[in-house]
Amino acid sequence: MDYTVLKAVCSELSTTWTPAKMEKIVQPDRFTLLIAIRTLEESGWLRLCWNPACAHVSVGDPPGGAPSIAEAFSFGEQLRHLLKGLAIIEVRIPQELERVIELRLGARPSDPPSKHLFVEIMGRYSNVFLTNADMGVLACAYQVGSKMTSVRMVQVGGTYRMPPAAQGSFPSISMGMAEWKLITRATQEDKLQNSLIQAFRGVGPGLAVELISRSGLSPSMDPAAMTEDEWFSLHVVWLDWLRVLEESTFKPGLVRSTGSYSVLGGDGPYILSTDQDSEDAATGILAMLDDYYTRVYETEKFQQLRQQLVAKVSAATKKAQSKVNLFEDQIKASMEYSKISKMADLLMANLHVCEPGALSITLPDFETEEPTTIALDPRQTALVTAQKLYKRSQKLKKSEKAVAPLLAEARDELTYLSQVEVSLQQLDRYTRSTDLRSLEEVRDELVEGAYLKPIIAGTPPPSSKRKKKSSPLDNFAANMRRFTSPSGYEVLVGRNNRQNDVLANRVATEYDLWFHARNIPGSHTVLRVPPGQTATDEDLQFSADLAAYFSKARGSGKVPVSYTSPKYLQKLKGGKPGMVKVEKETVLLGRASDSPEGRQLLATA
């Protein structure tokens, strides 16, 4: 986000969002500040982000709706206290060609500013400072002390100073082509892109690439090898850029060569990303930036969260498998109780033939008369050995009764974790906000199940005694996959166990049909059949194919798929989310290798 972008942001904020009352201040994470602002015409959320990977300023709706003010970051708490009742009365760039925006704050638009909020968008040095009218620092995102820099120290209680000026010449529309060319070539860089960046202030990598591409040249070409016509073409584009800065005629657009945004119009429209397959082009700079950086932020968050969840679920699965193996071994060992009891009976019936000090005795079985060898303790009588065998037999019998429910519980847990693994496998990449929402639902589910500690600072630990607030049904339904069957009926596919649970127990009606890969972890699939209508064989096959594809058997060819009416589904008492018992079912063969990408989507695929 270079100076040109900040200039465009400042221009649109000044035109559209000034003056604006600040109604709420939230710091949802350590790098982001959200300020609810309202003008006479509209309201929105001003986002100030100093994340080194995607520092930016934008206005839009926060992901997931309006955020809560509850958080554990002191900077947000301080600003909420210090800026109460104030409004943004002016937005400006305090130092030309520098990446700093100043928000002047006051009680009323006609009053002189009583506080200043400086937003520095400078890569890993990005920061936010709040000062009083005399530039005394009241709060900051993080303090810049002597250990971090010797050039400019800015700390609470000190005086705010602007960052050191960037190196390079000051670009001017009055500068002739000969002088401009001389300054550009004087850098001795062998790439045109680097020459512009080093020669002039306010030129970043993105701007340099866009200007060079618009002139029909290559960013990697050597300035020393350029012809006069090429220099002229580049200079024309250069002057166009300076006029845009001077007149503030910015326009949102897309740079197709880099896939990034442009405030100079780019070479195509910037299409806003939505959870529906719409083609709405951005009409404002702030909306475009909010869309772009939301995707950048959510992609990074999605990748980090998925990596964490995969690791946690994998570890929990190994632990559950170990428990199953242990309990199975104990059950297997306990099955020997009848054999040991029979050995004790043999020994008690033949005490008269047992010789003192013997190490073992071989006796005929009561029923088969096969010889049975029983180990004896030479230091004890045969009666004591028989009593010990009886005692061991009873212990093993009790062990079987005690371990059997533990084994069933461990197997249920393993099945549940296998289902979670399938959900994570299907959520393998970020494409839209619904992907992140679905992944966060998996995280919340694991937190409630005590498989994962709360990852948001300040979140209370899960408790079985604490009443869990259920999420609105519409939120879960909105994130589900949606398809259209051959007859035009809607088909819903859950993305995680929570959605599966909602789909099977709350969304599906008596007219619908429920599908699931038989005895295989996978997504619940529901074919929505309108009252009075009947699903065709093509509808059933279509839904069965989806259930097979969104299961652990994906890519395995044909897979048995159970389908039934939702009335034959029984939610297991005390069971994990998405776990149901099927009382009556019909089986189809679903094609697990058929990708749904070619099918018509109602929302997300």
Side-chain angles (χ1 to χ4, degrees), residues 139-155:
C140 58
Y142 65 90
Q143 305 201 52
V144 182
S146 57
K147 293 184 178 180
M148 299 179 64
T149 179
S150 59
V151 178
R152 184 187 68 138
M153 292 180 290
V154 185
Q155 297 179 310

Side-chain angles (χ1 to χ4, degrees), residues 46-57:
L46 173 64
R47 186 202 307 267
L48 309 178
C49 178
W50 56 96
N51 189 322
C54 55
H56 67 280
V57 177

Side-chain angles (χ1 to χ4, degrees), residues 353-362 374-382 385:
V353 299
C354 295
E355 298 180 1
L359 297 176
S360 63
I361 185 172
T362 301
I374 304 173
L376 300 174
D377 187 344
R379 297 168 298 178
Q380 297 177 338
T381 64
T385 299

Side-chain angles (χ1 to χ4, degrees), residues 162 168 185 267:
M162 292 293 297
R185 294 191 58 177
D267 52 7

Side-chain angles (χ1 to χ4, degrees), residues 7-28:
K7 181 78 172 178
V9 168
C10 185
S11 175
E12 190 166 320
L13 282 175
S14 299
T15 303
T16 310
W17 295 97
T18 305
K21 182 181 179 182
M22 295 185 293
E23 297 186 326
K24 184 186 290 187
I25 298 176
V26 183
Q27 187 179 356

Side-chain angles (χ1 to χ4, degrees), residues 305 308-309 312 443 446-455 462:
L305 180 56
Q308 180 191 25
L309 296 183
K312 288 291 184 180
R443 177 201 64 194
L446 293 176
V447 169
E448 289 182 3
Y451 293 102
L452 186 70
K453 293 181 179 179
I455 61 175

